[in-house]
Amino acid sequence: MAISLEKFIHSLDLRALPRVLQIQSGIYCQGSIYEMFGNECSLSTGEVIKVIGFKINKLIASTCENNEGSQFSAKVELPLNFPGLYKVVADKTPYVSIEEIARKVSIGPTRFGHPCFYSAEDIKLANFTIKHGEQITFNSVEEVNGTMAVNCVVVRNNQTHSFTLPLSHEGEFYECEDDQIYTLKEIAEWKIPKCRNRIVKLSNTLHMWDSSSPFPKNFDGRLILMPVYEVQAVMKFRKDIVHILSDLDVEVKDITDCYDIGSFLQPLSLEDIFERTSKEFPMVAEIMEGPSASQKPYNLLSTGKEIVIYKKYQAARVLASEMRSDSSKRHFLIPMSYKGKFKRRPREFPTAYDLEIARSEKEQLHVVATKSFVSLHKELFSVSVGDQFLVQQCQTSEVLYEGRKKLIDVLACEQILSDSYKKVLLPMYMEGGFVEVIHDKKQYHLSEICKEFHLPFNVKVSVRDLSIEKDVLAAAPGLQFEEEITDSYLLISSVSSPMESWEIPVYRLNMLVHLLSKDVQTVVPPVTRTMVEEVSKEEYYMLRRYENLTLHPPPRPPKKPTTAAPPTSAVLKQDVSDVLQAPKNFCIDTTKKLCSDQAADVLELQVSCQNDLVHRENQKEMTGKATLVETTVIKDLARNYEAEDEEEHDYSYIDEKIIENIREVFHDTSIRNKHALSRGRRDI
């Protein structure tokens, strides 16, 4: 039976791929040789194609209106990279079975692929009852004891209960409200059910509309999204992958059951190659579809090129970010084979708790306070801007709290005075600000840093990697090593010029190949070329927030006692030269400024502190004198370093990408709120 291509896609289950289709009613686009704008537009009647996948190519959006005559306005075509962050409006139409949910909703291994539903009625399992209205998280679909089922999770009284629901289970299931925000591309990939439209709402009201905006001025942010799919297929006599839009006016017939599917070339993704056994390597493959031009430096892997795949393995990488205060900072994955050297840069610590985390036995942590803090307890120290400390250890101290003595966690430090040291205690909950003073001038290899220090760690390239033609890390004003990760890689080289080999990431490189029955000339790979991989914002969020933070949540800071507004008299003005002093036992001349390379480091951190002070002034009621002292000292510090370093670095603190900033703030706030809620429950 012939049906339209669009209806076929809507009825197709991804698990049933690949499928062989015969064109029953073709289409020819005049003026086109074979394709247009990268998409196939000429399909002859009787032609046979093998569908290997499909994805959403673009979205047709309608603005929701409250007019009595119409429910929505004219349609607008939106690309997946259309700017904005959106919230998903829960679908009010119920699903009638678990099978319908698994067939229409994307369920996958990442945070995006864990949809939540609730049942209109109680679900009784063997030793567990799911209450009606209780949120059920769907994690994965797999075969359990010969039956296809969905692995689910319910959180009840802070305890996680895991169970499975068979696809055959029927009921009335509704989508739960989703408090997260997403880009349009993320919604297209994960949050649009098949055969259903999706209503979304812009979460950032600061989005600016100009004359080129496709939406009306009174647009309230609500959109109805209708997807247009792109089919990936293999044709009988072509080696490349063809792309066909689902709205192409053709009719097709599924002939998979009566056709030799092996007569087509077999496209394999890098994930498919990685699943092969180690005994099958090395192998020769031809690239059917190379990476996009934006995935540099992998644009050398062009379509039609033959490569040797020597082996698969897991490799360590360090995730690093540029030290910039604006949203344009880049992110990198650095291999342990990187041959450059690094010098340390000062770290910034927002609380005393962060000082405890960064403390190490290897060396004593020396910091300068960039914000004042007034203690409510006489047993604890009040900090002024410019105070210097040597961090000692964490301990407990007895304080008078609401008329009763109470033990709290504190950080023991030595305050550095002009000619002596004073033992002080800082409360662990202290919300202050500290900048590290560095006395270590040694240059480190990447492996040495990972072995000797705790991450995150701030550095700057002092000696670039000469084996790399263009070392992108050397141009960065500074880098923060955030964490060490392990990822999957394939080692490849070119068949035509096997002089060097590359490591290519399995899960971040979109590439299709087919295997060739050629013998590999040598099983020993050539010299491996060091490759610093620049990751996109989306990939960075996946690495840092959606996966790692879920598996390894950060330690919770101790609960902060109730505080009152600090008295103005407690804030002491201090000369800028005091801030630049270092302890005598480090053999540093107190009459000189910090060395020029460290000056640039502290400058950036201090200006960031200044911005934070301005923000806090708008958020809280602060005494005018305290704010004036802090701001004056930090400005004086910035001026001291600015003259020496302005030629070397050009710092920009203007946010030109407000969408990314809103997203970062949203996720950071969401994580903090979850930890705060968890602590509150624990205290109760």
Side-chain angles (χ1 to χ4, degrees):
M1 178 181 175
I3 59 174
S4 70
L5 181 61
E6 191 169 31
K7 286 184 178 179
F8 169 78
I9 292 174
H10 286 165
S11 63
L12 182 63
D13 190 339
L14 276 173
R15 296 188 298 270
L17 291 177
R19 308 297 295 176
V20 178
L21 302 181
Q22 186 178 53
I23 307 300
Q24 298 294 297
S25 175
I27 183 173
Y28 176 73
C29 182
Q30 188 174 4
S32 168
I33 297 176
Y34 220 94
E35 62 178 358
M36 185 177 291
F37 306 116
N39 294 297
E40 202 73 20
C41 59
S42 296
L43 294 172
S44 304
T45 301
E47 193 162 13
V48 178
I49 62 175
K50 181 174 75 170
V51 177
I52 60 174
F54 60 88
K55 62 181 180 179
I56 295 178
N57 176 273
K58 58 186 176 181
L59 295 165
I60 306 299
S62 303
T63 56
C64 299
E65 295 182 352
N66 296 323
N67 298 341
E68 295 181 1
S70 63
Q71 191 174 7
F72 51 88
S73 68
K75 297 176 180 179
V76 176
E77 184 176 300
L78 297 180
L80 298 188
N81 61 354
F82 189 79
L85 293 172
Y86 304 82
K87 277 195 172 185
V88 173
V89 178
D91 192 350
K92 303 299 181 184
T93 305
Y95 292 80
V96 298
S97 68
I98 301 297
E99 188 275 335
E100 184 185 8
I101 294 175
R103 179 164 45 88
K104 294 184 177 181
V105 178
S106 297
I107 302 175
T110 71
R111 170 194 167 277
F112 294 125
H114 296 163
C116 297
F117 292 85
Y118 66 89
S119 173
E121 299 180 353
D122 291 352
I123 301 177
K124 294 183 179 180
L125 304 175
N127 55 356
F128 187 69
T129 298
I130 306 168
K131 301 176 182 177
H132 65 277
E134 194 168 21
Q135 179 172 299
I136 308 170
T137 302
F138 289 51
N139 287 333
S140 62
V141 180
E142 60 183 55
E143 186 174 333
V144 179
N145 298 326
T147 303
M148 294 303 296
V150 177
N151 290 317
C152 305
V153 166
V154 164
V155 179
R156 184 182 296 172
N157 298 327
N158 289 330
Q159 291 187 341
T160 300
H161 302 273
S162 300
F163 56 93
T164 59
L165 289 175
L167 298 189
S168 58
H169 183 91
E170 296 182 349
E172 191 174 330
F173 299 92
Y174 292 88
E175 191 176 39
C176 295
E177 294 289 343
D178 189 345
D179 62 350
Q180 300 298 310
I181 57 176
Y182 306 93
T183 63
L184 212 56
K185 183 175 183 292
E186 291 166 348
I187 291 174
E189 292 177 350
W190 294 97
K191 298 298 177 182
I192 297 186
K194 288 177 61 180
C195 306
R196 297 194 183 199
N197 297 331
R198 168 62 79 191
I199 298 178
V200 298
K201 184 174 177 61
L202 262 174
S203 67
N204 51 310
T205 56
L206 297 178
H207 194 80
M208 295 175 289
W209 304 103
D210 53 27
S211 58
S212 63
S213 171
F215 303 113
K217 291 183 179 180
N218 59 350
F219 174 55
D220 68 350
R222 290 170 62 88
L223 292 172
I224 300 175
L225 303 179
M226 294 169 284
V228 175
Y229 291 90
E230 174 188 281
V231 178
Q232 294 174 301
V234 179
M235 305 187 79
K236 189 71 175 178
F237 302 107
R238 294 178 63 178
K239 288 186 176 182
D240 58 334
I241 307 295
V242 298
H243 303 268
I244 308 168
L245 294 182
S246 62
D247 56 357
L248 198 64
D249 187 18
V250 297
E251 290 188 334
V252 298
K253 181 180 179 181
D254 191 335
I255 59 171
T256 306
D257 296 336
C258 58
Y259 200 89
D260 180 15
I261 200 169
S263 61
F264 288 90
L265 289 176
Q266 178 62 41
L268 298 172
S269 66
L270 296 185
E271 292 94 324
D272 296 329
I273 296 292
F274 195 81
E275 289 176 1
R276 300 257 172 156
T277 63
S278 298
K279 294 180 180 179
E280 298 180 64
F281 293 90
M283 59 184 69
V284 180
E286 181 182 351
I287 300 174
M288 297 184 68
E289 186 170 270
S292 62
S294 61
Q295 291 185 287
K296 296 179 181 179
Y298 306 112
N299 51 358
L300 300 173
L301 302 173
S302 55
T303 300
K305 190 170 186 177
E306 293 184 4
I307 59 174
V308 179
I309 307 175
Y310 290 97
K311 60 180 179 178
K312 66 173 185 176
Y313 53 90
Q314 300 283 320
R317 292 290 189 272
V318 171
L319 180 63
S321 297
E322 279 187 311
M323 291 178 61
R324 298 171 62 97
S325 62
D326 59 9
S327 60
S328 62
K329 64 181 178 181
R330 298 183 296 172
H331 310 282
F332 307 96
L333 281 173
I334 310 173
M336 291 299 175
S337 58
Y338 179 80
K339 298 178 178 63
K341 290 186 177 182
F342 302 93
K343 289 181 69 174
R344 296 174 60 178
R345 292 192 65 186
R347 291 170 287 178
E348 185 180 12
F349 307 101
T351 68
Y353 186 73
D354 295 290
L355 294 178
E356 163 60 17
I357 295 176
R359 184 175 60 85
S360 73
E361 302 297 331
K362 177 178 170 54
E363 63 178 356
Q364 199 164 33
L365 183 60
H366 175 201
V367 295
V368 177
T370 58
K371 294 182 183 179
S372 63
F373 170 79
V374 179
S375 173
L376 299 180
H377 311 290
K378 63 180 182 179
E379 300 90 348
L380 306 179
F381 188 70
S382 292
V383 177
S384 298
V385 175
D387 284 347
Q388 296 187 67
F389 302 96
L390 297 177
V391 179
Q392 302 288 346
Q393 61 184 3
C394 176
Q395 61 186 55
T396 57
S397 177
E398 197 175 63
V399 298
L400 195 62
Y401 180 69
E402 294 182 351
R404 292 183 299 176
K405 290 185 177 181
K406 182 179 180 180
L407 282 176
I408 66 169
D409 292 332
V410 296
L411 190 64
C413 300
E414 283 188 338
Q415 184 190 9
I416 303 172
L417 303 176
S418 59
D419 56 355
S420 62
Y421 300 91
K422 176 184 177 182
K423 293 187 179 295
V424 297
L425 298 177
L426 303 180
M428 201 69 77
Y429 60 79
M430 171 185 168
E431 294 180 0
F434 303 92
V435 172
E436 182 181 23
V437 178
I438 295 176
H439 310 280
D440 180 7
K441 305 303 178 185
K442 182 181 175 182
Q443 298 182 98
Y444 295 89
H445 284 102
L446 181 61
S447 57
E448 292 176 314
I449 292 176
C450 294
K451 182 179 180 180
E452 297 181 23
F453 301 100
H454 295 295
L455 302 186
F457 198 74
N458 297 349
V459 298
K460 179 181 178 181
V461 175
S462 57
V463 179
R464 73 178 186 89
D465 188 343
L466 298 177
S467 67
I468 303 177
E469 183 177 347
K470 184 179 179 181
D471 189 348
V472 293
L473 300 181
L479 295 167
Q480 182 179 70
F481 292 164
E482 299 189 19
E483 68 176 308
E484 188 176 343
I485 68 169
T486 302
D487 209 350
S488 303
Y489 289 87
L490 295 173
L491 185 64
I492 71 165
S493 72
S494 171
V495 170
S496 58
S497 55
M499 303 300 294
E500 56 186 6
S501 60
W502 299 275
E503 294 176 317
I504 59 173
V506 173
Y507 298 107
R508 287 185 304 280
L509 198 63
N510 297 320
M511 185 168 132
L512 291 174
V513 303
H514 74 93
L515 299 180
L516 302 177
S517 55
K518 289 186 177 182
D519 294 330
V520 180
Q521 300 299 322
T522 174
V523 295
V524 179
V527 177
T528 302
R529 179 181 173 186
T530 299
M531 188 88 70
V532 176
E533 182 185 353
E534 183 174 348
V535 296
S536 65
K537 288 281 187 184
E538 291 77 12
E539 291 168 336
Y540 173 77
Y541 286 125
M542 292 290 287
L543 290 166
R544 287 289 292 166
R545 302 187 188 282
Y546 301 143
E547 294 180 2
N548 292 341
L549 283 181
T550 303
L551 296 174
H552 306 289
R556 298 183 178 94
K559 185 178 179 182
K560 178 180 178 180
T562 305
T563 59
T568 305
S569 60
V571 183
L572 305 176
K573 185 170 183 178
Q574 198 166 0
D575 189 80
V576 176
S577 62
D578 293 339
V579 181
L580 301 180
Q581 281 187 349
K584 292 182 178 180
N585 60 338
F586 286 112
C587 301
I588 295 180
D589 187 354
T590 58
T591 64
K592 296 182 180 180
K593 294 181 295 181
L594 296 175
C595 55
S596 59
D597 60 340
Q598 188 170 322
D601 304 337
V602 179
L603 167 62
E604 183 179 357
L605 295 173
Q606 297 291 5
V607 174
S608 176
C609 293
Q610 180 185 358
N611 292 339
D612 187 74
L613 283 172
V614 174
H615 176 71
R616 187 175 67 178
E617 185 178 20
N618 295 330
Q619 296 288 328
K620 301 178 181 180
E621 292 183 3
M622 298 180 61
T623 59
K625 184 175 180 180
T627 305
L628 179 61
V629 170
E630 293 181 11
T631 307
T632 301
V633 171
I634 292 174
K635 282 184 176 180
D636 289 341
L637 276 171
R639 278 196 294 269
N640 271 347
Y641 305 133
E642 210 166 33
E644 296 185 17
D645 205 53
E646 63 180 351
E647 293 183 1
E648 182 179 354
H649 301 303
D650 181 20
Y651 295 106
S652 174
Y653 300 100
I654 300 175
D655 181 10
E656 297 178 349
K657 297 183 179 179
I658 194 168
I659 291 177
E660 290 298 340
N661 261 359
I662 292 174
R663 179 179 189 161
E664 289 180 15
V665 171
F666 180 90
H667 282 289
D668 287 341
T669 305
S670 176
I671 291 171
R672 287 198 299 268
N673 288 343
K674 288 180 180 178
H675 289 322
L677 179 60
S678 177
R679 291 199 306 274
R681 288 174 176 169
R682 188 171 63 250
D683 294 337
I684 292 173

